[in-house]
Amino acid sequence: MPVKYGKPLVAHDTPIPGVLLIDLPVHGDNRGWFKENWQREKMLAIGLPDFAPVQNNISFNDAAGTTRGIHAEPWDKFISIAFGRVFGAWVDLRPGDSFGTVFTAELDPSTAIYIPRGVGNAYQTLEPNTAYTYLVNAHWSADAQSEYTFLNLADEDVAIPWPIPLGEAELSDKDRQHPRLRDLTPGRGA
């Protein structure tokens, strides 16, 4: 699927409070394409919080159907795609009325999403050789994993409509073992 060129920079609200879906301008010609993936002043102007990213991460995925998550981490994230396409799924795991609310969207290089801490993040690659990149506002460490909240990708209550059935997808054994929503304490895990 070709990259969508010429979209204006716009942030869209989602059903999960604080989660913003962003259209990114991508400029292309016969050589390829270019995008300004993150530009603080412009992002603040369209309504993103000033979350002060300190680390940039890239997850490369060989196969279509690679599925990762659902992880709510102790930092905010700005997620975009460098190459390929993903089906993204987000679940609010914070205490409050929106606990358990789900939002899904397809992301390609012309879209991004802002995810505040406490919202579970997952994705499934729709093309081989997909590069998923994200800015975070705290440094990763092995110790930080004790602060994650995990949710099972196959949870029946959130019922994420994965384009590639999980039985046919590439998942880690760890992700297969995460608890169900009914077993979570909002914001604190199982």
Side-chain angles (χ1 to χ4, degrees), residues 5 12 22 24 46 60-61 72 74 76 79 87 90 102 118 128 145 151 159 183 188-189:
Y5 297 138
H12 306 277
I22 299 112
L24 295 174
I46 64 167
F60 178 78
N61 305 273
D76 305 317
I79 300 164
F87 172 83
W90 301 276
V102 177
Q145 290 185 14
L151 177 63
D183 299 323
R188 298 204 41 219

Side-chain angles (χ1 to χ4, degrees), residues 29 60 73 112-113 149 170 176:
D29 61 23
F60 178 78
E73 299 155 339
I113 193 156
T149 301
E170 286 289 328
R176 291 179 197 276

Side-chain angles (χ1 to χ4, degrees), residues 14 16-22 48 51 71-73 75-79 89-91 94 103 113-122 132 135 137:
T14 71
I16 300 175
V19 173
L20 299 171
L21 185 65
I22 299 112
L48 268 72
F51 78 108
H71 309 151
E73 299 155 339
W75 42 70
D76 305 317
K77 295 172 103 170
F78 179 84
I79 300 164
W90 301 276
V91 182
R94 301 169 295 184
F103 175 68
I113 193 156
Y114 173 77
I115 305 298
R117 72 190 68 220
V119 173
N121 178 68
Y132 173 101
L135 298 171
N137 61 352

Side-chain angles (χ1 to χ4, degrees), residues 162-183:
W162 299 106
I164 299 168
L166 294 177
E168 300 169 23
E170 286 289 328
L171 281 77
S172 72
D173 289 337
K174 187 175 177 182
D175 281 348
R176 291 179 197 276
Q177 303 306 315
H178 293 321
R180 300 298 205 248
L181 189 69
R182 66 182 167 268
D183 299 323

Side-chain angles (χ1 to χ4, degrees), residues 1-82:
M1 177 179 227
V3 175
K4 298 173 188 118
Y5 297 138
K7 294 178 0 183
L9 180 63
V10 177
H12 306 277
D13 289 326
T14 71
I16 300 175
V19 173
L20 299 171
L21 185 65
I22 299 112
D23 291 334
L24 295 174
V26 177
H27 312 283
D29 61 23
N30 61 313
R31 300 166 296 168
W33 56 263
F34 168 83
K35 70 175 175 174
E36 214 172 54
N37 201 51
W38 172 262
Q39 206 272 26
R40 182 178 169 272
E41 286 184 28
K42 290 179 182 177
M43 295 301 177
L44 295 178
I46 64 167
L48 268 72
D50 195 1
F51 78 108
V54 298
Q55 184 171 321
N56 183 41
N57 301 314
I58 298 174
S59 174
F60 178 78
N61 305 273
D62 288 327
T66 300
T67 308
R68 299 176 185 260
I70 301 170
H71 309 151
E73 299 155 339
W75 42 70
D76 305 317
K77 295 172 103 170
F78 179 84
I79 300 164
S80 64
I81 306 303

